[in-house]
Amino acid sequence: MFANQKVIYLAGGCFWGVEAFISRLKGVNQTEVGYANGRDLAPTYEKVCSGKTGHAETVKVTYNPKIITLEEILENYYKIIDPFSENRQGNDIGTQYRTGIYWQENPQKNIILKFIKDKQRLESNRIAIELSPINCFYAAEEYHQKYLEKNPQGYCHVDLNLINNEEFNHLTKEEYEITQLSMTEAPFSGKYTNFFEDGVYVDVVSGEVLFSSQDKFDSGCGWPSFSKPINKEAVIKNRDYSHGTTRIEIRSAKSNSHLGHLFYDGPGGSPRYCINSSALRFIPKDEIE
């Protein structure tokens, strides 16, 4: 059974900063930057920057509506853009840097139109955010994905300090990136990859018990592998279409933290829960209450 997810597309100038900000909202499960609502069927960064393709630099946002509503996402989006500027955000000028909200479901349209209408009542200037269905979206080149995580000193026109992340202050930088930004640790780099002591593995964010050492096995894949969670209600499954693939993402049910992915390539085609070490904390058997 897969969890219910929704998708919305947000354009707000350079997609590096918009992605970095929106991805930090609790309840946003996946973000992907790309080129939306243009004419070219094979857009590249160079083509789009020419201003001739009609595409807007856009972030595809996949979110859990039980944790964050579309209205909450729009409120956060609105505070990081200049809603009155046409074809310009920050130092970036051109049609590819226009603001826009693009929906793929009609119920979203009604929410978006009402949101902008309510905002316009409070503003003296005309809001210049483009509103339309998503007609096309092409994922940007890999080096643009999670750009500011890979390049912390990179250009960003968005103030990332506007998000309050105090509840994650106990996490290391890698633990935060894995659990909250859905990133993946390098294979064979995690502390639990070749670790087989008796005990349980809990969610590093919430402390929820997730996996037992009795169900851990050496898959040789480079990440901790489990045949099943300690309780099927402890994790949720999402469809994950990022990076041009189709996978099953695993998240902690209590904290909504990204854990890893589920594959069916274990012994005899059995399940393999492929989990990032940084998403887990181990409790030895003699310390379990």
Side-chain angles (χ1 to χ4, degrees), residues 7-8 63 70 103-112:
V7 175
I8 194 68
Y63 63 98
L70 178 55
W103 59 84
Q104 64 179 26
E105 299 179 17
N106 280 331
Q108 293 177 318
K109 174 183 177 180
N110 298 331
I111 293 171
I112 293 164

Side-chain angles (χ1 to χ4, degrees), residues 154-165:
Y155 166 74
C156 180
H157 70 291
V158 175
D159 182 1
L160 300 182
N161 294 318
L162 290 172
I163 290 184
N164 182 355
N165 278 328

Side-chain angles (χ1 to χ4, degrees), residues 14 55 72 120-121 129 136 140 143-144 160 162 186-187 191 204 275 281:
C14 176
H55 291 90
E72 289 172 321
Q120 187 63 78
R121 288 198 188 101
I129 300 173
C136 64
Y143 73 91
H144 287 298
L160 300 182
L162 290 172
K191 57 187 175 181
V204 72
I275 307 298
R281 180 168 59 87

Side-chain angles (χ1 to χ4, degrees), residues 7 35 49 62 65-66 72 74-75 79-80 101 104 121-122 128 133 140 143 165 202 239 273 278:
V7 175
Y35 314 115
C49 284
T62 304
K66 290 185 177 180
E72 289 172 321
L74 295 177
E75 282 287 357
K79 71 183 181 184
I80 62 171
I101 304 172
Q104 64 179 26
R121 288 198 188 101
L122 303 174
Y143 73 91
N165 278 328
V202 303
R239 292 183 177 88
Y273 287 78
S278 294

Side-chain angles (χ1 to χ4, degrees), residues 26-45:
K26 188 172 183 179
V28 170
N29 291 349
Q30 300 285 343
T31 51
E32 185 175 34
V33 298
Y35 314 115
N37 288 11
R39 298 177 295 276
D40 195 302
L41 299 181
T44 64
Y45 187 63

Side-chain angles (χ1 to χ4, degrees), residues 25-273:
L25 300 178
K26 188 172 183 179
V28 170
N29 291 349
Q30 300 285 343
T31 51
E32 185 175 34
V33 298
Y35 314 115
N37 288 11
R39 298 177 295 276
D40 195 302
L41 299 181
T44 64
Y45 187 63
E46 290 72 22
K47 286 183 182 179
V48 172
C49 284
S50 73
K52 297 178 181 179
T53 71
H55 291 90
E57 289 197 10
T58 300
V59 182
K60 178 182 179 182
V61 182
T62 304
Y63 63 98
N64 183 338
K66 290 185 177 180
I67 297 175
I68 188 168
T69 65
L70 178 55
E71 291 92 338
E72 289 172 321
I73 293 175
L74 295 177
E75 282 287 357
N76 279 280
Y77 162 78
Y78 193 82
K79 71 183 181 184
I80 62 171
I81 62 168
D82 177 352
F84 315 115
S85 179
E86 293 188 35
N87 301 326
R88 177 172 186 167
Q89 290 293 308
N91 296 324
D92 302 306
I93 303 174
T95 56
Q96 70 271 31
Y97 298 118
R98 65 188 183 270
T99 54
I101 304 172
Y102 312 123
W103 59 84
Q104 64 179 26
E105 299 179 17
N106 280 331
Q108 293 177 318
K109 174 183 177 180
N110 298 331
I111 293 171
I112 293 164
L113 295 182
K114 181 179 185 302
F115 175 84
I116 296 299
K117 184 177 180 180
D118 290 344
K119 288 295 184 186
Q120 187 63 78
R121 288 198 188 101
L122 303 174
E123 308 285 9
S124 57
N125 295 327
R126 184 182 69 86
I127 292 176
I129 300 173
E130 184 176 61
L131 308 176
S132 79
I134 185 73
N135 297 320
C136 64
F137 178 83
Y138 300 92
E141 296 82 348
E142 183 58 32
Y143 73 91
H144 287 298
Q145 307 300 335
K146 302 290 183 185
Y147 183 86
L148 290 178
E149 304 307 326
K150 303 171 186 174
N151 304 276
Q153 305 305 315
Y155 166 74
C156 180
H157 70 291
V158 175
D159 182 1
L160 300 182
N161 294 318
L162 290 172
I163 290 184
N164 182 355
N165 278 328
E166 289 184 1
E167 66 176 301
F168 305 117
N169 283 350
H170 66 291
L171 302 181
T172 66
K173 181 176 184 292
E174 184 176 37
E175 289 169 347
Y176 179 83
E177 290 177 346
I178 298 296
T179 61
Q180 304 307 307
L181 305 183
S182 303
M183 298 181 73
T184 302
E185 63 196 14
F188 300 102
S189 68
K191 57 187 175 181
Y192 300 131
T193 301
N194 296 310
F195 180 88
F196 293 96
E197 291 187 17
D198 289 338
V200 296
Y201 296 83
V202 303
D203 178 359
V204 72
V205 174
S206 68
E208 181 182 16
V209 179
L210 299 175
F211 299 97
S212 168
S213 61
Q214 297 179 0
D215 302 312
K216 193 172 188 291
F217 64 96
D218 183 3
S219 67
C221 71
W223 292 275
S225 296
F226 301 88
S227 59
K228 65 179 186 292
I230 204 165
N231 179 343
K232 66 179 182 179
E233 303 300 326
V235 301
I236 55 177
K237 302 175 184 177
N238 291 323
R239 292 183 177 88
D240 179 3
Y241 301 110
S242 63
H243 305 292
T245 63
T246 301
R247 296 178 295 174
I248 301 173
E249 182 200 21
I250 299 300
R251 285 183 172 266
S252 168
K254 185 175 182 179
S255 69
N256 195 49
S257 295
H258 171 75
L259 302 175
H261 290 86
L262 170 61
F263 302 95
Y264 288 90
D265 56 5
S270 61
R272 174 174 65 88
Y273 287 78

